[in-house]
Amino acid sequence: QKEVEQNSGPLSVPEGAIASLNCTYSDRGSQSFFWYRQYSGKSPELIMFIYSNGDKEDGRFTAQLNKASQYVSLLIRDSQPSDSATYLCAVREYGFNKFYFGSGTKLNVKP
Amino acid sequence: GAVVSQHPSWVICKSGTSVKIECRSLDFQATTMFWYRQFPKQSLMLMATSNEGSKATYEQGVEKDKFLINHASLTLSTLTVTSAHPEDSSFYICSARDTNMGETQYFGPGTRLLVL
């Protein structure tokens, strides 16, 4: 069973702070890694994906991948109350057309 | 780009009836579509994966005769919940991926099903 683990939270940060979300995965064959944001009652929306070790930045978001340690993280700089949501980590195994999701981390950004 | 629609967004039906949910990729060709179910405060549960023109692959524990999936074209997949019961009430979300173009899958807005 391929597992993707996330701390369920809630993670509370003050407005303007950096929020750090972490995800670990069990399958070393995992190739691609995704972060989705899901607001309550809505479907997930893609924030970004990463497949190479290191950092990938997109606006206020930075994804960090460490394949040796089997973790991927998402940093949100200058957190805003509108960032309050559940963040889902997903991985895709090389050669397979299937995504494995973590259970999500709930983020609360307090004004 | 990469817009996925679902219809209906809400459906309420009586126990024993069948409900069809449509998932469309509006601006790309979806070689693969996924169907998920999500109960309140829980994560996504993959129900099945369908490739255009092929039979869907169902996850363990998902009854294929109850959840009928058809992926007849590169832009449309349907999920039919047959003989729905109250325990089938959930948030059903489809996603679509063009395996020729990119890594990611794009989600539809979801369909809330309430079976009375």
Side-chain angles (χ1 to χ4, degrees), chain A residues 91-111:
Chain A
V91 305
R92 184 177 75 83
E93 185 182 4
Y94 178 77
F96 289 86
N97 192 20
K98 185 174 176 179
F99 297 73
Y100 297 88
F101 280 84
S103 57
T105 298
K106 186 174 176 58
L107 172 67
N108 290 328
V109 181
K110 293 184 278 189

Side-chain angles (χ1 to χ4, degrees), chain B residues 3 7 17 26 50 67 80 82 101 111 115:
Chain B
V3 178
H7 179 80
T17 60
L26 299 185
S50 73
F67 298 99
T80 301
T82 62
M101 289 194 63
T111 297
V115 184

Side-chain angles (χ1 to χ4, degrees), chain A residues 2-3 6 8 23 30 39 46 48 50 52 64 68 72 76 78 93 96 102-103 107:
Chain A
K2 298 174 176 56
E3 295 184 349
Q6 294 182 257
S8 61
C23 172
S30 299
Y39 291 110
L46 178 69
M48 62 192 307
I50 185 170
S52 298
Q64 299 176 318
V72 56
I76 307 174
D78 188 24
E93 185 182 4
F96 289 86
S103 57
L107 172 67

Side-chain angles (χ1 to χ4, degrees), chain A residues 38 44 88 101-102, chain B residues 6 21 34-48 58-63 66-67 69 79-82 84-95 107 110-113 115:
Chain A
Q38 186 176 26
L88 301 172
F101 280 84
Chain B
Q6 268 184 257
I21 302 170
F34 305 90
W35 286 95
Y36 295 86
R37 182 166 57 179
Q38 188 175 37
F39 293 106
K41 300 189 185 301
Q42 295 188 25
S43 189
L44 296 171
M45 187 196 82
L46 178 65
M47 300 175 67
Y58 290 82
E59 294 300 301
Q60 191 173 7
V62 177
E63 300 174 59
K66 181 170 183 62
F67 298 99
I69 292 173
L79 167 67
T80 301
V81 183
T82 62
H85 291 285
E87 57 266 29
D88 298 323
S89 300
S90 188
F91 189 35
Y92 291 87
I93 311 172
C94 75
S95 70
F107 285 90
T111 297
R112 292 207 176 277
L113 170 64
V115 184

